Amino acid sequence: MAEIERVHAVPPEQLWSTYVLGRKPVIITDLLEGMPSRSVAQTIAAFRDLSVAHEHGAGPLTLRDIHEREAAGVHALDLPIEHVRPARGLFDLVDRLKTPLDRRLDELGRGPARADCALMFYGFHEATPCHTDGWVTQSVSAQLAGTKEWFLAPPQLVAPLGPYGSTILMDPMKLTREQRQTLAELIGGYSFTLQPGEALYWPHQWLHGTYYHEPSIATVLHFGRDLFSVFVSREVHRGFLRHAILEKLYPASAIEQRHWNDFIALHDACRHAHANPAARFHAIEDVLRQVYASCYPDQPLARLAFDFESIRALDEQACISFYEGSLERNREAWVETTQQPLFDWWRAS
Ligand SMILES: [Fe+2]
């Protein structure tokens, strides 16, 4: 049975070696002990002066405004980091695992939240459909108040769910909790409920979805970015192959020790001046298939439980759009945030 592990008092070195490098999600039960234990109403009251969002034609909103106005919905908001600091266990753990690149992105506000903020999620009677995040970063989601249901699956095992782009055709968040649990067991994923005061670590590029059956407030902190995986997210369209290979091409030491030739093949295909976005997509897709075959010799694409060719037109247009629009912006952001050359940066240092 796919039951997620719950642990207490995990030092940062152990979180890194056992769970980050082991590609294994875990719930840590003591990280919010420094924060007063609060109900949803108390948490909303504690953040009463905090302006968290704007709406069209309206001024700043507080969490209480959103809570009182909406019968259902999910909102992603910026939570100033000082509200997280009292949770010393959480703050210290993530802070010890931040890389120089994480700190630079935090300072510039180029991560998922504004500068000096953490991402906060408020939701009620709504699901966040299963998806894979575009950024490549480790995440710890701390449940401040209320509960939240989660579905998680490693990227190389999601073929039966119909992966395309950053999402899947069949959404487990539309199933009942019991059906979702059975599905998790069948494919090798996890289905569980995060309780208030608990914090979840989950590996980057894992499929994840959530359901808020009651008002629920959580904050998420990030760490562990390196230039190699950020390069792949900068240059390569989202999809099953990218997600699956990043499970192996991380961290940089794994590339250097085991996947250097794979990485260079991908790097060189990205560096090449292709005739147009469609040509770029096809060239990179070819290399992704080769790298996938090298990373997963026991799980060839042709034997996976999904007919990728049947949705090729659907997938292809979204991927080509990435090369038409996002790629140039991603490259500009790389230069600004990393201050490294676009290619071959390891030779420059
Ligand atoms: Fe996400």
Side-chain angles (χ1 to χ4, degrees), residues 216-283:
S216 163
I217 304 168
T219 186
V220 57
L221 298 177
H222 300 96
F223 65 93
R225 297 173 182 91
D226 69 36
L227 290 172
F228 288 85
S229 49
V230 171
F231 171 84
V232 177
S233 71
R234 181 193 96 190
E235 289 286 325
V236 178
H237 58 273
R238 291 158 83 177
F240 175 81
L241 293 170
R242 172 182 130 177
H243 303 148
I245 68 165
L246 276 172
E247 187 75 351
K248 304 287 185 182
L249 271 60
Y250 180 88
S253 57
I255 292 178
E256 285 158 5
Q257 290 160 20
R258 293 188 291 279
H259 293 287
W260 188 248
N261 290 341
D262 292 331
F263 179 77
I264 290 298
L266 192 55
H267 170 273
D268 290 354
C270 295
R271 184 175 51 187
H272 187 79
H274 298 279
N276 53 53
R280 174 171 290 272
F281 163 66
H282 290 296

Side-chain angles (χ1 to χ4, degrees), residues 155-233:
Q156 72 278 21
L157 297 183
V158 302
L161 307 181
Y164 78 102
S166 60
T167 186
I168 50 177
L169 293 173
M170 178 276 175
D171 190 2
M173 304 324 291
K174 293 203 168 86
L175 301 175
T176 65
R177 198 183 311 196
E178 291 71 27
Q179 289 169 329
R180 208 156 44 234
Q181 178 72 31
T182 303
L183 181 66
E185 289 172 22
L186 280 170
I187 69 165
Y190 299 86
S191 177
F192 55 90
T193 302
L194 201 60
Q195 301 295 331
E198 292 186 329
L200 166 70
Y201 161 73
W202 85 94
H204 72 77
Q205 304 296 290
W206 277 43
L207 184 79
H208 56 285
T210 55
Y211 183 72
Y212 303 79
H213 63 86
E214 62 176 0
S216 163
I217 304 168
T219 186
V220 57
L221 298 177
H222 300 96
F223 65 93
R225 297 173 182 91
D226 69 36
L227 290 172
F228 288 85
S229 49
V230 171
F231 171 84
V232 177
S233 71

